[in-house]
Amino acid sequence: MKMMEQSSGLKRLMQHDNMQKNLSVPQLVEKILSRKEAILTSTGAVRATTGKYTGRSPKDKFIVRHADSENDIAWGPVNQEIDEQTFQKLYEKVVAYLEEQNELFLFEGFAGADQDYQLPLQVINEYAWHNLFSKQLFIRPTAEELLHHQAEFTIISAPSFKADPDTDGTNSEAFVIISFEKRIILIGGTEYAGEIKKSIFSIMNYLLPKQDIVSMHCSANVGQEGDVALFFGLSGTGKTTLSADPYRKLIGDDEHGWSPNGVFNIEGGCYAKCVDLSEEKEPQIYGAIRFGSVLENVALDKQTRLPDYRDTSLTENTRAAYPLENIDNILSPSVAGHPNAIIFLTADASGTLPPISKLTKEQAMYHFLSGYTSKLAGTERGVTEPEATFSACFGSPFLPMAPSVYAEMLGEKINQYRSNVFLVNTGWTGGPYGVGNRMKLSYTRAMIHAALEGELNAVETVTDNIFGLHIPIHVPGVPDEVLIPRNTWQDKAAYDQEAQALALKFHDNFNQFRHASQAIQEAGPVFRPEK
């Protein structure tokens, strides 16, 4: 990217009398505690609460409409437009507000572990704990890199500034606005730190495809033989949990690029869901939460300050942010080869999708474009029970361009490198949500292990007569009856009804992708609506 001259507002912020630049982790923790922004826990992590905004606010996200980029953006509910004049007025208001603060916090770092495609960025924060969050989630520069660092994108975060929808052109007091031309992301009205992380992912999803790189909402790890695995899925489907494998090195837990060099992590840290976190089930994540980590909306014992990960009184969407280095077996730098296996994760609340199935190339493209899961409670404001949802490319909220752009690029990569693709259901079995049970994590791990080790490449399969998926009849470590979802239901007629209803939802959703080839359109559920 070409460097752009700083706007007058950004220059004024950078000249703030008390701009705290690139503080160390201990210095930031001291600031956080002295400013009473968060409290120290028994783990050594700080715990912050975020008020009423405990998840992303997708209805409050905008992109500035500009002649240079407007033809690239898929405008609509995901990418709402705001005009340049309205953005500029709000931007000046936020700058003026931040100028009045006693101190501000600056982090300078990178997005993208592959230096060939790295984006220098900076984050200006009103809150010290948001600055620590940024430091732990993005890639931290070396002392030498810092000397020559020149940011090409700036996040300005002012959570205490509340917008006025009547005069500021927003939908509420909260806003996340991206200007690709000014290379600024403006965030206000919400204390939820995830907006900082995801806004950078959104701009990388715009910048990387222009360099012929697939940007992906997935986790990734690598085996001892150098075999790379990708795990696609929306929040709550198990990307972070399943990629944290003691027998494989973690590349990253959420955002990656796939370039001619291979796969690289976009981030420098992890943002893990904490609900029901235990040392027994997820030892790597549990052990990663220590000094320098940030706990978000996690309940604590008032006396001992012990985190209670089962307590969801603040939100279901409890989170932990920590650097990759807090995981024992990471790949450093976070750059690896081309994927041997690709896993699409879904948390199906209907309880009708198989726990694992092998996908043909056409089925892989169908399910990537569909991006089906059940949206779990807490990930977004107002969601209290699982809701069936389709999110193209398993990341629709973060895609500035049309889903077909990303799908076509991924399809080309799958063909080029002959990656095996599997659909894995981490959701319900034995019945729908409220009746059945969540799939055992140990079973899911066994299935994924078998897929990654090549044990399912030649295994006998049966074809599901509703979804058309190819289900292995045996997976080591998993009871055979679990593999066929209909066998786990007591009421078979109820299963058929629920499965057919889900198949129809797939068909209805895929109507938006009529431009896809006939082979891909026919790769969905074989049960079709009666005409």
Side-chain angles (χ1 to χ4, degrees):
M1 283 181 83
K2 288 183 178 180
M3 293 302 299
M4 180 175 286
E5 186 178 343
Q6 287 185 354
S7 68
S8 60
L10 185 54
K11 283 182 179 178
R12 298 201 310 272
L13 284 183
M14 295 298 289
Q15 294 167 359
H16 191 282
D17 290 340
N18 203 7
M19 176 70 81
Q20 304 292 325
K21 296 183 178 180
N22 299 305
L23 296 185
S24 67
V25 169
Q27 288 174 320
L28 281 170
V29 171
E30 287 174 351
K31 286 286 186 183
I32 290 164
L33 298 178
S34 67
R35 289 163 56 97
K36 294 182 169 54
E37 293 179 359
I39 58 178
L40 196 64
T41 74
S42 63
T43 68
V46 294
R47 192 290 307 264
T49 56
T50 63
K52 69 178 183 180
Y53 292 90
T54 59
R56 290 183 297 102
S57 297
K59 294 179 182 178
D60 296 313
K61 176 186 168 187
F62 299 87
I63 295 177
V64 179
R65 192 173 194 114
H66 189 279
D68 289 350
S69 60
E70 64 180 347
N71 293 331
D72 296 328
I73 307 298
W75 301 106
V78 171
N79 299 307
Q80 301 175 95
E81 68 175 274
I82 193 167
D83 65 76
E84 291 181 85
Q85 185 177 13
T86 302
F87 168 76
Q88 188 63 33
K89 287 180 179 178
L90 182 56
Y91 170 63
E92 290 295 339
K93 282 185 180 181
V94 172
V95 168
Y97 171 80
L98 289 176
E99 283 184 293
E100 295 175 356
Q101 304 309 303
N102 290 332
E103 58 184 347
L104 298 175
F105 301 90
L106 173 72
F107 165 75
E108 295 174 299
F110 302 99
D114 187 331
Q115 294 187 352
D116 289 343
Y117 309 104
Q118 204 165 59
L119 176 74
L121 57 84
Q122 61 186 5
V123 189
I124 298 173
N125 296 109
E126 176 186 5
Y127 291 170
W129 83 263
H130 278 179
N131 201 248
L132 177 59
F133 175 92
S134 302
K135 190 180 188 74
Q136 304 296 44
L137 263 292
F138 299 126
I139 296 172
R140 294 157 292 285
T142 63
E144 184 178 354
E145 287 174 331
L146 201 53
L147 291 175
H148 309 287
H149 188 277
Q150 290 186 303
E152 294 177 9
F153 241 96
T154 300
I155 298 177
I156 300 173
S157 174
S160 298
F161 179 92
K162 311 294 184 186
D164 180 353
D166 292 334
T167 59
D168 295 326
T170 59
N171 292 330
S172 76
E173 64 188 3
F175 54 91
V176 180
I177 308 176
I178 297 172
S179 171
F180 287 111
E181 283 63 40
K182 294 187 180 298
R183 296 176 190 170
I184 284 175
I185 301 166
L186 196 63
I187 303 175
T190 171
E191 297 181 35
Y192 180 64
E195 299 286 16
I196 297 172
K197 162 192 161 66
K198 287 302 186 185
S199 64
I200 287 294
F201 186 40
S202 294
I203 67 166
M204 293 299 276
N205 282 334
Y206 179 83
L207 299 174
L208 290 179
K210 289 181 173 295
Q211 302 175 71
D212 293 323
I213 300 166
V214 189
S215 54
M216 306 175 294
H217 186 210
C218 68
S219 59
N221 62 27
V222 59
Q224 295 179 358
E225 303 300 320
D227 54 303
V228 175
L230 303 182
F231 300 81
F232 284 87
L234 294 181
S235 178
T237 55
K239 292 194 313 300
T240 300
T241 299
L242 294 167
S243 57
D245 186 325
Y247 303 105
R248 299 174 64 84
K249 289 189 175 183
L250 181 70
I251 303 170
D253 85 322
D254 196 43
E255 303 168 5
H256 291 83
W258 188 351
S259 78
N261 301 336
V263 170
F264 63 89
N265 193 355
I266 290 175
E267 301 180 293
C270 302
Y271 191 41
K273 287 179 74 75
C274 291
V275 62
D276 293 327
L277 178 66
S278 70
E279 188 171 15
E280 178 187 1
K281 289 183 179 179
E282 298 167 284
Q284 291 200 53
I285 298 172
Y286 190 91
I289 301 170
R290 49 186 188 263
F291 182 78
S293 301
V294 178
L295 288 176
E296 201 173 31
N297 297 313
V298 173
L300 303 177
D301 183 281
K302 291 182 179 179
Q303 295 298 319
T304 65
R305 301 288 174 88
L306 276 167
D308 184 352
Y309 298 118
R310 297 169 298 175
D311 188 333
T312 57
S313 57
L314 292 173
T315 179
E316 290 270 352
N317 192 34
T318 53
R319 293 277 184 166
Y322 50 85
L324 278 169
E325 290 75 18
N326 282 20
I327 298 287
D328 290 335
N329 57 335
I330 61 166
L331 184 68
S332 183
S334 305
V335 180
H338 300 285
N340 303 77
I342 297 174
I343 310 291
F344 294 161
L345 298 169
T346 180
D348 172 36
S350 79
T352 61
L353 283 180
I356 188 167
S357 48
K358 297 173 65 177
L359 301 183
T360 64
K361 290 178 182 178
E362 291 75 21
Q363 286 177 324
M365 298 319 302
Y366 181 95
H367 284 277
F368 185 67
L369 280 169
S370 297
Y372 167 71
T373 193
S374 296
K375 191 178 294 179
L376 300 182
T379 304
E380 292 181 8
R381 292 195 303 128
V383 180
T384 57
E385 290 191 357
E387 298 175 357
T389 187
F390 293 86
S391 183
C393 311
F394 296 100
S396 178
F398 321 116
L399 304 182
M401 296 187 280
S404 58
V405 172
Y406 309 94
E408 287 170 9
M409 293 180 74
L410 182 68
E412 290 171 2
K413 291 287 190 185
I414 289 173
N415 285 334
Q416 183 177 357
Y417 296 102
R418 298 183 180 181
S419 307
N420 293 310
V421 186
F422 300 86
L423 180 67
V424 172
N425 175 21
T426 63
W428 279 257
T429 182
Y433 174 82
V435 177
N437 298 306
R438 192 80 189 255
M439 184 66 62
K440 285 185 178 181
L441 180 59
S442 60
Y443 291 169
T444 300
R445 287 195 188 280
M447 288 182 270
I448 287 177
H449 176 80
L452 301 189
E453 291 298 315
E455 296 175 7
L456 304 184
N457 290 351
V459 74
E460 184 181 351
T461 63
V462 295
T463 302
D464 185 276
N465 63 358
I466 292 177
F467 298 107
L469 296 167
H470 306 289
I471 308 171
I473 63 171
H474 179 71
V475 176
V478 183
D480 290 347
E481 62 270 17
V482 171
L483 299 172
I484 311 297
R486 193 174 190 269
N487 293 345
T488 67
W489 285 53
Q490 290 186 342
D491 188 337
K492 309 300 184 189
Y495 167 84
D496 293 339
Q497 184 176 6
E498 193 80 27
Q500 290 170 7
L502 179 58
L504 296 183
K505 290 177 182 177
F506 269 98
H507 291 307
D508 288 343
N509 173 73
F510 212 79
N511 284 332
Q512 66 184 295
F513 302 118
R514 294 184 183 276
H515 60 275
S517 70
Q518 193 68 23
I520 292 174
Q521 292 190 49
E522 292 176 355
V526 293
F527 178 84
R528 296 185 176 276
E530 295 181 4
K531 295 183 179 180

